[in-house]
Amino acid sequence: MSTIRKQQITSLTNARVKQWVQLKERKYRNREGLFIAEGIHLVQEALRSKASVHCIVYDMEAGIPSELREWASSSLDTEWIEVPEAIIKKCTDTETPQPIFAVIGKPRYDYRLLLEAVKPLVIVVDGVQDPGNLGTIIRSADAVGATGVVIGKGTVDLYNSKTVRSTMGSLFHLPVVEADLSQLLPVVKKQGIRVASTSLQATHTCYSYDFTEPTWFVVGNEGKGVSPEVNALVEDHIIIPMKGQAESLNVAMATTVMLYEAMRQREFS
């Protein structure tokens, strides 16, 4: 068995600890190109997906969790750093933090990957503000085998700790690209890809729309919907029919309904 590349840090004033604490803020995540993923499951998914894991920090009293010991002995490029519980608490956001987190390099995906796919199904996020909603959208896109997710300006930070947690590891499973939608969507349309979104004035329901064609589907802000400048680039408008008295669906739920109908048409028709 290989030897674990293990270190120990005990001081809250250690330079590396200070760097990890700074990663709680978006401007430092952007500057360093790093983010934190908390908890056994997320660390496991990052390692399994061969994400750029810079180091794994764990509680020295609890030790390396049993689920990760095999990784600890085989991931020779990754540092494993044991620290006291106080450092874990200082570097994470949850009230009762799990005894482990990973510092991970932000992946760099080129939007052209999404254009070159055969019959792409891409979710485009325009101004979603809630981290839980964004995380669920990414998780649903992963679940149906979508080509990827594109995040426009004005959307909550993808690497916010709450967003990362709510993806449940799906963040590591498919390309998630950040882009200026007003510049990207015209390029998409020139490739012959349909750009669709929901609308109360729609001509299609989600069940009559043809999702088997190359499709980029735009979802908008929780309160305002898709922004006017992005909506001007949308060609096809779709409505989710509702039989009961609910006024509308949450954006993450609506996206999931659309994605599953697309998967049904593509895989189970």
Side-chain angles (χ1 to χ4, degrees):
M1 185 178 282
S2 306
T3 307
I4 299 170
R5 192 177 157 207
K6 194 157 68 170
Q7 292 188 41
Q8 185 182 87
I9 295 174
T10 56
S11 170
L12 286 164
T13 59
N14 179 280
R16 295 191 72 180
V17 174
K18 288 178 179 177
Q19 184 203 31
W20 301 334
V21 173
Q22 285 182 328
L23 293 177
K24 290 161 83 170
E25 293 184 46
R26 184 175 193 163
K27 66 178 179 181
Y28 289 108
R29 291 194 292 269
N30 289 343
R31 189 184 77 186
E32 302 292 332
L34 299 170
F35 69 99
I36 283 177
E38 304 172 32
I40 293 167
H41 177 71
L42 283 175
V43 173
Q44 204 168 28
E45 288 304 309
L47 290 166
R48 191 175 282 144
S49 306
K50 295 183 169 55
S52 176
V53 179
H54 286 225
C55 65
I56 294 169
V57 182
Y58 63 95
D59 186 327
M60 58 174 54
E61 283 194 29
I64 295 172
S66 57
E67 300 92 326
L68 295 169
R69 280 179 200 148
E70 185 184 333
W71 293 105
S73 58
S74 60
S75 306
L76 299 180
D77 294 335
T78 305
E79 284 182 279
W80 293 72
I81 304 172
E82 55 180 28
V83 300
E85 185 185 20
I87 288 178
I88 301 263
K89 283 185 172 175
K90 193 173 176 70
C91 297
T92 55
D93 281 334
T94 43
E95 275 187 41
T96 312
Q98 291 196 53
I100 191 163
F101 67 84
V103 178
I104 301 171
K106 289 184 182 184
R108 295 180 182 275
Y109 293 111
D110 192 318
Y111 72 87
R112 282 171 291 202
L113 274 173
L114 306 180
L115 292 177
E116 290 162 4
V118 178
K119 292 202 175 177
L121 175 63
V122 173
I123 289 295
V124 180
V125 184
D126 178 34
V128 167
Q129 291 295 294
D130 182 81
N133 282 338
L134 179 57
T136 301
I137 288 166
I138 292 168
R139 199 171 163 193
S140 294
D142 178 24
V144 304
T147 315
V149 177
V150 174
I151 296 177
K153 291 178 179 178
T155 300
V156 64
D157 185 20
L158 171 61
Y159 299 105
N160 173 312
S161 62
K162 289 178 183 174
T163 310
V164 173
R165 280 199 301 277
S166 64
T167 69
M168 291 292 288
S170 288
L171 172 64
F172 304 116
H173 300 162
L174 79 171
V176 183
V177 177
E178 297 177 270
D180 182 333
L181 302 183
S182 62
Q183 291 181 14
L184 179 56
L185 291 181
V187 176
V188 170
K189 290 165 73 173
K190 279 181 185 171
Q191 299 283 323
I193 296 168
R194 304 299 296 179
V195 177
S197 186
T198 51
S199 168
L200 295 175
Q201 287 76 47
T203 50
H204 295 278
T205 70
C206 58
Y207 305 117
S208 65
Y209 188 74
D210 184 2
F211 280 109
T212 63
E213 292 303 312
T215 307
W216 284 39
F217 189 81
V218 183
V219 300
N221 175 273
E222 290 85 349
K224 300 174 186 172
V226 176
S227 63
E229 55 269 34
V230 172
N231 197 48
L233 298 167
V234 172
E235 298 163 288
D236 299 336
H237 292 94
I238 306 169
I239 192 167
I240 298 174
M242 289 187 285
K243 197 173 176 183
Q245 296 179 58
E247 267 186 38
S248 62
L249 293 176
N250 157 294
V251 64
M253 290 174 67
T255 305
T256 303
V257 169
M258 292 288 184
L259 281 165
Y260 270 87
E261 173 56 18
M263 181 176 73
R264 185 195 69 76
Q265 289 184 23
R266 288 172 174 229
E267 305 291 337
F268 300 100
S269 61

